[in-house]
Amino acid sequence: MRARDAISICLCLVVLLVTTFGWTAVAYQPQPTLAYKPSPTIDLRHIPIGDGRISTQPQTGFLWSCRTEFGGPPRHGAHASGDWIGDNATYNFTTKPTVSGRVYWPGDFDITIKDRSRQIASNRLPQDPTGDFPISPQDDAYAFDRNPNSIRSVTATLNLPVNPQLAANPSCVQMGQVGILLNGGYLFNALDANGKDAVAHEIQDSCQGHPEHRGTYHYHSITTCLNKRDPGKGHSALLGYALDGFGIYGHRLEGGKAATNSDLDVCHGHTHTVDWDGKQTKLYHYHATWEYPYTIGCYRGTPIKIARPPRPERRPEPPPGANNPDLRLEDRPNL
């Protein structure tokens, strides 16, 4: 049989099948960009790594970052990975190493409400313990992350709206600070300087914090050291404020259910009645999750503009006895 005859027979069969069974041709549809499918539960031994989930618009499970280009040589941060990083693009939070040390700082943190403004004054030092920074070559963490920065004190004031309002449209999240927690520690977005998942890759201390190059101690997720402020089994307590003034609550939703991305909107929040300044108020708010982007995916309100911090002041010395492990917890200063 000639090739031309074979092609003619095949075409006839196709026409016969379409006529008989009513098949229709389907046009090619381009595949959408990689989407994240939120899990109904999170296993802390297998948390999906957020690398690559940077969007240019609001999207669940992504960070809408104002900065999207992270080219050039790697910056300070983790330079190696260990066995807490799995082969299936997940990491094990329970076995991830931490920076050694338990240092207590004279954290100064005060909130005042005045003229519809929530004024938050701090010296950028947390009221919870930190590790020893810069990371020592004798620290096991040094094999993965050689953070050379010291924790420094800088006086700063944030003026947030007492009654924040939803903006007409969400907005992107800048690099660095996106909020402040109630222990005085600064909250940064989920990215490290190289555009990777900071919580998965960078080696932080036992409270999941570390300093950046200007000395600002910060977290990329809600620190577990705030658990003492969030007891109980119901809806989580308020643990901080975003730069748009909306509250950041802990990992639990109403009824005590652990929050996941699938429970929240594209900016990592939702609206219902919460305790707000001592009153039950129906208000939009953000939640912490164990999933990337961990706290804020974009702003639902209008964030305040923050100036680049001035040159850091001298690094404060820890109070006497602050690092003495033999002291009872209640006797240690500035907890």
Side-chain angles (χ1 to χ4, degrees):
M1 181 181 295
R2 294 181 301 174
R4 181 180 298 176
D5 294 335
I7 293 173
S8 298
I9 292 172
C10 290
L11 290 174
C12 290
L13 287 173
V14 170
V15 173
L16 178 62
L17 289 170
V18 170
T19 304
T20 304
F21 296 102
W23 291 358
T24 57
V26 178
Y28 170 74
Q29 297 292 333
Q31 294 298 312
T33 56
L34 177 65
Y36 174 61
K37 296 180 180 179
S39 170
T41 59
I42 288 295
D43 181 350
L44 297 187
R45 299 167 299 176
H46 301 284
I47 300 177
I49 297 174
D51 292 354
R53 295 211 296 271
I54 300 175
S55 66
T56 55
Q57 60 184 0
Q59 188 172 354
T60 299
F62 283 66
L63 178 69
W64 181 15
S65 172
C66 300
R67 179 183 174 189
T68 57
E69 297 295 330
F70 295 89
R75 306 188 181 199
H76 288 308
H79 63 274
S81 296
D83 57 8
W84 75 92
I85 301 291
D87 296 331
N88 55 349
T90 65
Y91 69 99
N92 188 336
F93 180 81
T94 66
T95 61
K96 182 185 171 188
T98 59
V99 176
S100 299
R102 195 168 177 83
V103 182
Y104 291 82
W105 302 92
D108 185 14
F109 182 78
D110 183 66
I111 299 178
T112 304
I113 294 178
K114 182 179 180 181
D115 297 330
R116 294 183 292 181
S117 176
R118 189 183 311 278
Q119 299 179 353
I120 302 178
S122 76
N123 60 357
R124 300 193 182 207
L125 296 176
Q127 295 174 338
D128 287 307
T130 75
D132 285 315
F133 293 96
I135 298 178
S136 168
Q138 284 69 51
D139 192 329
D140 292 342
Y142 193 80
F144 309 106
D145 192 325
R146 298 175 183 176
N147 189 328
N149 305 314
S150 298
I151 298 173
R152 299 182 183 275
S153 172
V154 177
T155 301
T157 301
L158 296 177
N159 289 293
L160 306 177
V162 172
N163 297 305
Q165 303 296 314
L166 294 175
N169 296 294
S171 57
C172 61
V173 172
Q174 74 279 8
M175 291 297 291
Q177 186 185 6
V178 297
I180 188 168
L181 302 184
L182 295 185
N183 67 348
Y186 275 36
L187 179 66
F188 278 25
N189 71 29
L191 301 176
D192 67 9
N194 303 308
K196 299 175 69 176
D197 183 339
V199 181
H201 295 290
E202 292 187 316
I203 308 301
Q204 296 133 355
D205 58 29
S206 60
C207 285
Q208 302 89 54
H210 61 176
E212 44 85 82
H213 68 286
R214 298 183 73 85
T216 301
Y217 182 84
H218 62 280
Y219 312 97
H220 293 275
S221 59
I222 294 294
T223 167
T224 55
C225 288
L226 279 175
N227 286 346
K228 61 182 178 295
R229 295 175 179 263
D230 191 21
K233 299 180 180 179
H235 191 279
S236 283
L238 176 73
L239 297 180
Y241 297 95
L243 293 183
D244 59 7
F246 287 115
I248 304 172
Y249 290 73
H251 291 88
R252 299 189 312 277
L253 304 172
E254 291 180 296
K257 176 182 179 294
T260 66
N261 289 345
S262 58
D263 299 306
L264 306 171
D265 68 11
V266 291
C267 286
H268 223 61
H270 60 185
T271 300
H272 66 74
T273 300
V274 292
D275 185 353
W276 187 249
D277 293 330
K279 298 180 181 179
Q280 293 296 301
T281 306
K282 187 174 183 180
L283 188 70
Y284 183 86
H285 56 281
Y286 300 101
H287 266 282
T289 63
W290 291 106
E291 296 174 288
Y292 177 96
Y294 307 111
T295 55
I296 296 173
C298 54
Y299 289 115
R300 284 295 282 116
T302 303
I304 63 171
K305 294 181 179 181
I306 53 175
R308 189 174 184 180
R311 183 172 180 154
E313 299 170 7
R314 183 179 63 85
R315 181 187 182 190
E317 294 297 326
N323 298 314
N324 185 350
D326 297 326
L327 286 179
R328 294 178 304 169
L329 193 61
E330 59 270 24
D331 291 335
R332 295 179 184 174
N334 299 302
L335 177 60

mmCIF file of all heavy atoms in Angstrom, residues 47 119 196 236 255:
data_model
loop_
_atom_site.group_PDB
_atom_site.id
_atom_site.type_symbol
_atom_site.label_atom_id
_atom_site.label_comp_id
_atom_site.label_asym_id
_atom_site.label_seq_id
_atom_site.Cartn_x
_atom_site.Cartn_y
_atom_site.Cartn_z
ATOM 1 N N ILE A 47 7.279 20.397 55.435
ATOM 2 C CA ILE A 47 6.693 21.673 55.035
ATOM 3 C C ILE A 47 7.165 22.007 53.627
ATOM 4 O O ILE A 47 8.367 21.996 53.358
ATOM 5 C CB ILE A 47 7.106 22.795 56.001
ATOM 6 C CG1 ILE A 47 6.635 22.478 57.426
ATOM 7 C CG2 ILE A 47 6.535 24.130 55.546
ATOM 8 C CD1 ILE A 47 7.066 23.505 58.459
ATOM 9 N N GLN A 119 0.766 54.465 68.077
ATOM 10 C CA GLN A 119 2.185 54.781 68.076
ATOM 11 C C GLN A 119 2.948 53.671 68.795
ATOM 12 O O GLN A 119 2.714 53.414 69.977
ATOM 13 C CB GLN A 119 2.438 56.128 68.748
ATOM 14 C CG GLN A 119 1.756 57.298 68.049
ATOM 15 C CD GLN A 119 1.992 58.628 68.739
ATOM 16 O OE1 GLN A 119 2.570 58.673 69.826
ATOM 17 N NE2 GLN A 119 1.537 59.714 68.124
ATOM 18 N N LYS A 196 14.952 33.492 48.170
ATOM 19 C CA LYS A 196 14.559 32.122 48.525
ATOM 20 C C LYS A 196 13.752 32.135 49.827
ATOM 21 O O LYS A 196 13.672 33.136 50.524
ATOM 22 C CB LYS A 196 15.806 31.255 48.665
ATOM 23 C CG LYS A 196 16.632 31.164 47.381
ATOM 24 C CD LYS A 196 17.927 30.404 47.599
ATOM 25 C CE LYS A 196 17.690 28.920 47.866
ATOM 26 N NZ LYS A 196 18.952 28.164 47.989
ATOM 27 N N SER A 236 -6.562 32.194 67.889
ATOM 28 C CA SER A 236 -5.288 32.728 68.374
ATOM 29 C C SER A 236 -5.400 34.183 68.797
ATOM 30 O O SER A 236 -6.255 34.931 68.321
ATOM 31 C CB SER A 236 -4.213 32.608 67.284
ATOM 32 O OG SER A 236 -3.740 31.291 67.187
ATOM 33 N N GLY A 255 -12.377 28.084 66.707
ATOM 34 C CA GLY A 255 -12.514 26.678 67.039
ATOM 35 C C GLY A 255 -11.190 25.981 67.259
ATOM 36 O O GLY A 255 -11.158 24.795 67.585
#
